[in-house]
PDB file of all heavy atoms in Angstrom:
ATOM      1  N   GLY S1363     -12.156 -21.989  30.460  1.00 81.00           N
ATOM      2  CA  GLY S1363     -12.249 -23.439  30.546  1.00 81.00           C
ATOM      3  C   GLY S1363     -13.457 -23.921  31.321  1.00 81.00           C
ATOM      4  O   GLY S1363     -13.835 -25.086  31.195  1.00 81.00           O
ATOM      5  N   ASP S1364     -14.082 -23.056  32.114  1.00 77.00           N
ATOM      6  CA  ASP S1364     -15.256 -23.459  32.878  1.00 77.00           C
ATOM      7  C   ASP S1364     -16.545 -23.403  32.054  1.00 77.00           C
ATOM      8  O   ASP S1364     -17.556 -23.978  32.436  1.00 77.00           O
ATOM      9  CB  ASP S1364     -15.421 -22.582  34.113  1.00 77.00           C
ATOM     10  CG  ASP S1364     -15.501 -21.097  33.758  1.00 77.00           C
ATOM     11  OD1 ASP S1364     -14.957 -20.717  32.687  1.00 77.00           O
ATOM     12  OD2 ASP S1364     -16.073 -20.326  34.539  1.00 77.00           O
ATOM     13  N   ILE S1365     -16.494 -22.723  30.871  1.00 75.00           N
ATOM     14  CA  ILE S1365     -17.725 -22.577  30.096  1.00 75.00           C
ATOM     15  C   ILE S1365     -17.585 -23.048  28.659  1.00 75.00           C
ATOM     16  O   ILE S1365     -18.576 -23.213  27.955  1.00 75.00           O
ATOM     17  CB  ILE S1365     -18.204 -21.112  30.078  1.00 75.00           C
ATOM     18  CG1 ILE S1365     -17.131 -20.212  29.452  1.00 75.00           C
ATOM     19  CG2 ILE S1365     -18.557 -20.650  31.469  1.00 75.00           C
ATOM     20  CD1 ILE S1365     -17.604 -18.785  29.238  1.00 75.00           C
ATOM     21  N   ALA S1366     -16.353 -23.239  28.151  1.00 62.00           N
ATOM     22  CA  ALA S1366     -16.182 -23.564  26.734  1.00 62.00           C
ATOM     23  C   ALA S1366     -14.944 -24.398  26.544  1.00 62.00           C
ATOM     24  O   ALA S1366     -14.014 -24.364  27.347  1.00 62.00           O
ATOM     25  CB  ALA S1366     -16.079 -22.276  25.907  1.00 62.00           C
ATOM     26  N   GLY S1367     -14.925 -25.129  25.440  1.00 58.00           N
ATOM     27  CA  GLY S1367     -13.744 -25.857  25.027  1.00 58.00           C
ATOM     28  C   GLY S1367     -12.981 -25.067  23.997  1.00 58.00           C
ATOM     29  O   GLY S1367     -13.259 -23.908  23.717  1.00 58.00           O
ATOM     30  N   PHE S1368     -11.998 -25.718  23.385  1.00 54.00           N
ATOM     31  CA  PHE S1368     -11.179 -25.061  22.363  1.00 54.00           C
ATOM     32  C   PHE S1368     -12.043 -24.775  21.131  1.00 54.00           C
ATOM     33  O   PHE S1368     -12.761 -25.628  20.657  1.00 54.00           O
ATOM     34  CB  PHE S1368     -10.000 -25.952  21.988  1.00 54.00           C
ATOM     35  CG  PHE S1368      -9.092 -25.344  20.963  1.00 54.00           C
ATOM     36  CD1 PHE S1368      -8.244 -24.316  21.304  1.00 54.00           C
ATOM     37  CD2 PHE S1368      -9.104 -25.792  19.655  1.00 54.00           C
ATOM     38  CE1 PHE S1368      -7.394 -23.759  20.369  1.00 54.00           C
ATOM     39  CE2 PHE S1368      -8.271 -25.256  18.716  1.00 54.00           C
ATOM     40  CZ  PHE S1368      -7.409 -24.229  19.075  1.00 54.00           C
ATOM     41  N   GLY S1369     -11.988 -23.550  20.601  1.00 56.00           N
ATOM     42  CA  GLY S1369     -12.754 -23.197  19.417  1.00 56.00           C
ATOM     43  C   GLY S1369     -13.442 -21.860  19.576  1.00 56.00           C
ATOM     44  O   GLY S1369     -12.954 -20.980  20.281  1.00 56.00           O
ATOM     45  N   THR S1370     -14.597 -21.728  18.925  1.00 59.00           N
ATOM     46  CA  THR S1370     -15.297 -20.439  18.897  1.00 59.00           C
ATOM     47  C   THR S1370     -16.564 -20.462  19.732  1.00 59.00           C
ATOM     48  O   THR S1370     -17.500 -19.713  19.464  1.00 59.00           O
ATOM     49  CB  THR S1370     -15.638 -20.077  17.441  1.00 59.00           C
ATOM     50  OG1 THR S1370     -16.468 -21.111  16.889  1.00 59.00           O
ATOM     51  CG2 THR S1370     -14.382 -19.958  16.604  1.00 59.00           C
ATOM     52  N   ALA S1371     -16.617 -21.323  20.736  1.00 66.00           N
ATOM     53  CA  ALA S1371     -17.823 -21.431  21.544  1.00 66.00           C
ATOM     54  C   ALA S1371     -17.983 -20.279  22.510  1.00 66.00           C
ATOM     55  O   ALA S1371     -19.023 -20.140  23.137  1.00 66.00           O
ATOM     56  CB  ALA S1371     -17.830 -22.761  22.299  1.00 66.00           C
ATOM     57  N   SER S1372     -16.976 -19.446  22.671  1.00 82.00           N
ATOM     58  CA  SER S1372     -17.042 -18.312  23.597  1.00 82.00           C
ATOM     59  C   SER S1372     -16.433 -17.094  22.923  1.00 82.00           C
ATOM     60  O   SER S1372     -15.677 -17.209  21.954  1.00 82.00           O
ATOM     61  CB  SER S1372     -16.280 -18.643  24.884  1.00 82.00           C
ATOM     62  OG  SER S1372     -14.883 -18.680  24.632  1.00 82.00           O
ATOM     63  N   PRO S1373     -16.769 -15.896  23.431  1.00 86.00           N
ATOM     64  CA  PRO S1373     -16.150 -14.686  22.857  1.00 86.00           C
ATOM     65  C   PRO S1373     -14.630 -14.719  22.924  1.00 86.00           C
ATOM     66  O   PRO S1373     -13.953 -14.270  22.005  1.00 86.00           O
ATOM     67  CB  PRO S1373     -16.742 -13.561  23.720  1.00 86.00           C
ATOM     68  CG  PRO S1373     -18.010 -14.112  24.254  1.00 86.00           C
ATOM     69  CD  PRO S1373     -17.774 -15.577  24.451  1.00 86.00           C
ATOM     70  N   ASN S1374     -14.083 -15.278  24.020  1.00 88.00           N
ATOM     71  CA  ASN S1374     -12.630 -15.355  24.126  1.00 88.00           C
ATOM     72  C   ASN S1374     -12.046 -16.294  23.073  1.00 88.00           C
ATOM     73  O   ASN S1374     -10.983 -16.033  22.507  1.00 88.00           O
ATOM     74  CB  ASN S1374     -12.236 -15.828  25.523  1.00 88.00           C
ATOM     75  CG  ASN S1374     -12.478 -14.767  26.575  1.00 88.00           C
ATOM     76  OD1 ASN S1374     -13.105 -13.762  26.308  1.00 88.00           O
ATOM     77  ND2 ASN S1374     -11.994 -14.994  27.776  1.00 88.00           N
ATOM     78  N   GLY S1375     -12.742 -17.405  22.817  1.00 87.00           N
ATOM     79  CA  GLY S1375     -12.267 -18.331  21.792  1.00 87.00           C
ATOM     80  C   GLY S1375     -12.283 -17.711  20.409  1.00 87.00           C
ATOM     81  O   GLY S1375     -11.355 -17.888  19.614  1.00 87.00           O
ATOM     82  N   ARG S1376     -13.352 -16.970  20.112  1.00 87.00           N
ATOM     83  CA  ARG S1376     -13.409 -16.295  18.808  1.00 87.00           C
ATOM     84  C   ARG S1376     -12.326 -15.225  18.695  1.00 87.00           C
ATOM     85  O   ARG S1376     -11.720 -15.041  17.628  1.00 87.00           O
ATOM     86  CB  ARG S1376     -14.802 -15.688  18.606  1.00 87.00           C
ATOM     87  CG  ARG S1376     -15.891 -16.733  18.410  1.00 87.00           C
ATOM     88  CD  ARG S1376     -17.199 -16.089  18.007  1.00 87.00           C
ATOM     89  NE  ARG S1376     -17.817 -15.338  19.091  1.00 87.00           N
ATOM     90  CZ  ARG S1376     -18.626 -15.867  19.995  1.00 87.00           C
ATOM     91  NH1 ARG S1376     -18.933 -17.152  19.934  1.00 87.00           N
ATOM     92  NH2 ARG S1376     -19.166 -15.125  20.942  1.00 87.00           N
ATOM     93  N   LYS S1377     -12.062 -14.524  19.793  1.00 89.00           N
ATOM     94  CA  LYS S1377     -11.003 -13.520  19.763  1.00 89.00           C
ATOM     95  C   LYS S1377      -9.649 -14.174  19.577  1.00 89.00           C
ATOM     96  O   LYS S1377      -8.773 -13.639  18.876  1.00 89.00           O
ATOM     97  CB  LYS S1377     -11.026 -12.708  21.070  1.00 89.00           C
ATOM     98  CG  LYS S1377     -10.058 -11.529  21.062  1.00 89.00           C
ATOM     99  CD  LYS S1377     -10.453 -10.520  19.990  1.00 89.00           C
ATOM    100  CE  LYS S1377      -9.527  -9.333  19.993  1.00 89.00           C
ATOM    101  NZ  LYS S1377      -9.908  -8.332  18.967  1.00 89.00           N
ATOM    102  N   LEU S1378      -9.433 -15.336  20.184  1.00 90.00           N
ATOM    103  CA  LEU S1378      -8.163 -16.045  20.014  1.00 90.00           C
ATOM    104  C   LEU S1378      -7.938 -16.388  18.543  1.00 90.00           C
ATOM    105  O   LEU S1378      -6.832 -16.216  18.022  1.00 90.00           O
ATOM    106  CB  LEU S1378      -8.154 -17.315  20.867  1.00 90.00           C
ATOM    107  CG  LEU S1378      -6.982 -18.278  20.614  1.00 90.00           C
ATOM    108  CD1 LEU S1378      -5.656 -17.595  20.949  1.00 90.00           C
ATOM    109  CD2 LEU S1378      -7.140 -19.558  21.419  1.00 90.00           C
ATOM    110  N   GLN S1379      -8.966 -16.878  17.873  1.00 88.00           N
ATOM    111  CA  GLN S1379      -8.808 -17.206  16.454  1.00 88.00           C
ATOM    112  C   GLN S1379      -8.443 -15.967  15.647  1.00 88.00           C
ATOM    113  O   GLN S1379      -7.628 -16.026  14.730  1.00 88.00           O
ATOM    114  CB  GLN S1379     -10.084 -17.839  15.924  1.00 88.00           C
ATOM    115  CG  GLN S1379     -10.312 -19.257  16.427  1.00 88.00           C
ATOM    116  CD  GLN S1379     -11.310 -20.018  15.582  1.00 88.00           C
ATOM    117  OE1 GLN S1379     -12.067 -19.424  14.831  1.00 88.00           O
ATOM    118  NE2 GLN S1379     -11.317 -21.345  15.702  1.00 88.00           N
ATOM    119  N   ASP S1380      -9.049 -14.840  16.003  1.00 87.00           N
ATOM    120  CA  ASP S1380      -8.722 -13.598  15.290  1.00 87.00           C
ATOM    121  C   ASP S1380      -7.293 -13.162  15.575  1.00 87.00           C
ATOM    122  O   ASP S1380      -6.560 -12.752  14.663  1.00 87.00           O
ATOM    123  CB  ASP S1380      -9.705 -12.495  15.717  1.00 87.00           C
ATOM    124  CG  ASP S1380      -9.384 -11.166  15.082  1.00 87.00           C
ATOM    125  OD1 ASP S1380      -9.432 -11.062  13.850  1.00 87.00           O
ATOM    126  OD2 ASP S1380      -9.054 -10.217  15.835  1.00 87.00           O
ATOM    127  N   LEU S1381      -6.852 -13.272  16.839  1.00 90.00           N
ATOM    128  CA  LEU S1381      -5.502 -12.836  17.202  1.00 90.00           C
ATOM    129  C   LEU S1381      -4.445 -13.749  16.594  1.00 90.00           C
ATOM    130  O   LEU S1381      -3.367 -13.288  16.198  1.00 90.00           O
ATOM    131  CB  LEU S1381      -5.352 -12.819  18.726  1.00 90.00           C
ATOM    132  CG  LEU S1381      -6.149 -11.768  19.499  1.00 90.00           C
ATOM    133  CD1 LEU S1381      -5.992 -11.987  21.000  1.00 90.00           C
ATOM    134  CD2 LEU S1381      -5.706 -10.360  19.125  1.00 90.00           C
ATOM    135  N   ALA S1382      -4.733 -15.044  16.513  1.00 87.00           N
ATOM    136  CA  ALA S1382      -3.715 -16.007  16.074  1.00 87.00           C
ATOM    137  C   ALA S1382      -3.679 -16.200  14.569  1.00 87.00           C
ATOM    138  O   ALA S1382      -2.757 -16.835  14.058  1.00 87.00           O
ATOM    139  CB  ALA S1382      -3.951 -17.361  16.754  1.00 87.00           C
ATOM    140  N   ALA S1383      -4.646 -15.644  13.838  1.00 83.00           N
ATOM    141  CA  ALA S1383      -4.713 -15.893  12.394  1.00 83.00           C
ATOM    142  C   ALA S1383      -3.436 -15.481  11.663  1.00 83.00           C
ATOM    143  O   ALA S1383      -2.945 -16.225  10.810  1.00 83.00           O
ATOM    144  CB  ALA S1383      -5.936 -15.194  11.804  1.00 83.00           C
ATOM    145  N   PRO S1384      -2.838 -14.308  11.938  1.00 82.00           N
ATOM    146  CA  PRO S1384      -1.628 -13.927  11.194  1.00 82.00           C
ATOM    147  C   PRO S1384      -0.347 -14.593  11.687  1.00 82.00           C
ATOM    148  O   PRO S1384       0.721 -14.344  11.133  1.00 82.00           O
ATOM    149  CB  PRO S1384      -1.558 -12.400  11.406  1.00 82.00           C
ATOM    150  CG  PRO S1384      -2.873 -12.000  11.965  1.00 82.00           C
ATOM    151  CD  PRO S1384      -3.347 -13.182  12.734  1.00 82.00           C
ATOM    152  N   LEU S1385      -0.420 -15.389  12.741  1.00 84.00           N
ATOM    153  CA  LEU S1385       0.789 -15.984  13.305  1.00 84.00           C
ATOM    154  C   LEU S1385       1.173 -17.257  12.563  1.00 84.00           C
ATOM    155  O   LEU S1385       0.324 -17.982  12.037  1.00 84.00           O
ATOM    156  CB  LEU S1385       0.579 -16.302  14.789  1.00 84.00           C
ATOM    157  CG  LEU S1385       0.395 -15.097  15.720  1.00 84.00           C
ATOM    158  CD1 LEU S1385       0.133 -15.569  17.139  1.00 84.00           C
ATOM    159  CD2 LEU S1385       1.615 -14.187  15.682  1.00 84.00           C
ATOM    160  N   ASP S1386       2.470 -17.515  12.537  1.00 77.00           N
ATOM    161  CA  ASP S1386       3.004 -18.716  11.879  1.00 77.00           C
ATOM    162  C   ASP S1386       2.927 -19.877  12.865  1.00 77.00           C
ATOM    163  O   ASP S1386       3.909 -20.261  13.490  1.00 77.00           O
ATOM    164  CB  ASP S1386       4.449 -18.456  11.435  1.00 77.00           C
ATOM    165  CG  ASP S1386       5.018 -19.624  10.638  1.00 77.00           C
ATOM    166  OD1 ASP S1386       4.239 -20.531  10.298  1.00 77.00           O
ATOM    167  OD2 ASP S1386       6.225 -19.614  10.370  1.00 77.00           O
ATOM    168  N   ILE S1387       1.718 -20.426  13.014  1.00 83.00           N
ATOM    169  CA  ILE S1387       1.462 -21.489  13.982  1.00 83.00           C
ATOM    170  C   ILE S1387       1.311 -22.806  13.237  1.00 83.00           C
ATOM    171  O   ILE S1387       0.561 -22.885  12.268  1.00 83.00           O
ATOM    172  CB  ILE S1387       0.198 -21.176  14.809  1.00 83.00           C
ATOM    173  CG1 ILE S1387       0.414 -19.899  15.644  1.00 83.00           C
ATOM    174  CG2 ILE S1387      -0.166 -22.342  15.708  1.00 83.00           C
ATOM    175  CD1 ILE S1387      -0.802 -19.493  16.432  1.00 83.00           C
ATOM    176  N   PRO S1388       2.012 -23.855  13.669  1.00 80.00           N
ATOM    177  CA  PRO S1388       1.881 -25.155  12.996  1.00 80.00           C
ATOM    178  C   PRO S1388       0.564 -25.829  13.343  1.00 80.00           C
ATOM    179  O   PRO S1388      -0.245 -25.301  14.118  1.00 80.00           O
ATOM    180  CB  PRO S1388       3.078 -25.937  13.550  1.00 80.00           C
ATOM    181  CG  PRO S1388       3.289 -25.358  14.908  1.00 80.00           C
ATOM    182  CD  PRO S1388       2.957 -23.888  14.789  1.00 80.00           C
ATOM    183  N   ALA S1389       0.355 -27.005  12.762  1.00 78.00           N
ATOM    184  CA  ALA S1389      -0.825 -27.799  13.098  1.00 78.00           C
ATOM    185  C   ALA S1389      -0.800 -28.158  14.586  1.00 78.00           C
ATOM    186  O   ALA S1389       0.260 -28.415  15.165  1.00 78.00           O
ATOM    187  CB  ALA S1389      -0.868 -29.056  12.243  1.00 78.00           C
ATOM    188  N   LEU S1390      -1.974 -28.176  15.209  1.00 86.00           N
ATOM    189  CA  LEU S1390      -2.076 -28.410  16.650  1.00 86.00           C
ATOM    190  C   LEU S1390      -2.873 -29.678  16.916  1.00 86.00           C
ATOM    191  O   LEU S1390      -3.629 -30.161  16.071  1.00 86.00           O
ATOM    192  CB  LEU S1390      -2.754 -27.218  17.335  1.00 86.00           C
ATOM    193  CG  LEU S1390      -2.112 -25.849  17.143  1.00 86.00           C
ATOM    194  CD1 LEU S1390      -2.947 -24.783  17.825  1.00 86.00           C
ATOM    195  CD2 LEU S1390      -0.691 -25.837  17.687  1.00 86.00           C
ATOM    196  N   GLU S1391      -2.693 -30.203  18.150  1.00 86.00           N
ATOM    197  CA  GLU S1391      -3.460 -31.356  18.605  1.00 86.00           C
ATOM    198  C   GLU S1391      -3.550 -31.281  20.124  1.00 86.00           C
ATOM    199  O   GLU S1391      -2.719 -30.616  20.779  1.00 86.00           O
ATOM    200  CB  GLU S1391      -2.776 -32.655  18.191  1.00 86.00           C
ATOM    201  CG  GLU S1391      -1.436 -32.895  18.877  1.00 86.00           C
ATOM    202  CD  GLU S1391      -0.822 -34.248  18.522  1.00 86.00           C
ATOM    203  OE1 GLU S1391      -1.488 -35.011  17.820  1.00 86.00           O
ATOM    204  OE2 GLU S1391       0.312 -34.522  18.965  1.00 86.00           O
ATOM    205  N   PRO S1392      -4.570 -31.908  20.716  1.00 88.00           N
ATOM    206  CA  PRO S1392      -4.595 -31.988  22.186  1.00 88.00           C
ATOM    207  C   PRO S1392      -3.323 -32.656  22.688  1.00 88.00           C
ATOM    208  O   PRO S1392      -2.810 -33.591  22.068  1.00 88.00           O
ATOM    209  CB  PRO S1392      -5.844 -32.821  22.481  1.00 88.00           C
ATOM    210  CG  PRO S1392      -6.698 -32.663  21.264  1.00 88.00           C
ATOM    211  CD  PRO S1392      -5.758 -32.528  20.109  1.00 88.00           C
ATOM    212  N   ILE S1393      -2.801 -32.188  23.773  1.00 87.00           N
ATOM    213  CA  ILE S1393      -1.508 -32.659  24.260  1.00 87.00           C
ATOM    214  C   ILE S1393      -1.567 -34.170  24.516  1.00 87.00           C
ATOM    215  O   ILE S1393      -2.408 -34.654  25.274  1.00 87.00           O
ATOM    216  CB  ILE S1393      -1.103 -31.879  25.528  1.00 87.00           C
ATOM    217  CG1 ILE S1393       0.308 -32.239  25.952  1.00 87.00           C
ATOM    218  CG2 ILE S1393      -2.095 -32.061  26.638  1.00 87.00           C
ATOM    219  CD1 ILE S1393       0.878 -31.292  26.988  1.00 87.00           C
ATOM    220  N   PRO S1394      -0.731 -34.945  23.829  1.00 85.00           N
ATOM    221  CA  PRO S1394      -0.773 -36.412  24.025  1.00 85.00           C
ATOM    222  C   PRO S1394      -0.193 -36.800  25.386  1.00 85.00           C
ATOM    223  O   PRO S1394       0.565 -36.038  26.002  1.00 85.00           O
ATOM    224  CB  PRO S1394       0.086 -36.937  22.874  1.00 85.00           C
ATOM    225  CG  PRO S1394       0.992 -35.808  22.512  1.00 85.00           C
ATOM    226  CD  PRO S1394       0.245 -34.535  22.790  1.00 85.00           C
ATOM    227  N   ARG S1395      -0.516 -38.004  25.831  1.00 81.00           N
ATOM    228  CA  ARG S1395      -0.094 -38.436  27.158  1.00 81.00           C
ATOM    229  C   ARG S1395       1.403 -38.679  27.229  1.00 81.00           C
ATOM    230  O   ARG S1395       1.971 -38.723  28.325  1.00 81.00           O
ATOM    231  CB  ARG S1395      -0.849 -39.718  27.561  1.00 81.00           C
ATOM    232  CG  ARG S1395      -2.352 -39.531  27.626  1.00 81.00           C
ATOM    233  CD  ARG S1395      -3.046 -40.814  28.057  1.00 81.00           C
ATOM    234  NE  ARG S1395      -2.735 -41.159  29.428  1.00 81.00           N
ATOM    235  CZ  ARG S1395      -3.362 -40.675  30.500  1.00 81.00           C
ATOM    236  NH1 ARG S1395      -4.359 -39.814  30.332  1.00 81.00           N
ATOM    237  NH2 ARG S1395      -3.030 -41.049  31.714  1.00 81.00           N
TER     238      ARG S1395
END
Side-chain angles (χ1 to χ4, degrees):
D1364 56 334
I1365 60 173
F1368 181 74
T1370 59
S1372 70
N1374 288 10
R1376 291 189 289 273
K1377 187 64 179 181
L1378 170 62
Q1379 288 198 342
D1380 177 62
L1381 292 174
L1385 294 177
D1386 185 9
I1387 296 177
L1390 303 177
E1391 67 176 355
I1393 187 167
R1395 299 181 67 84

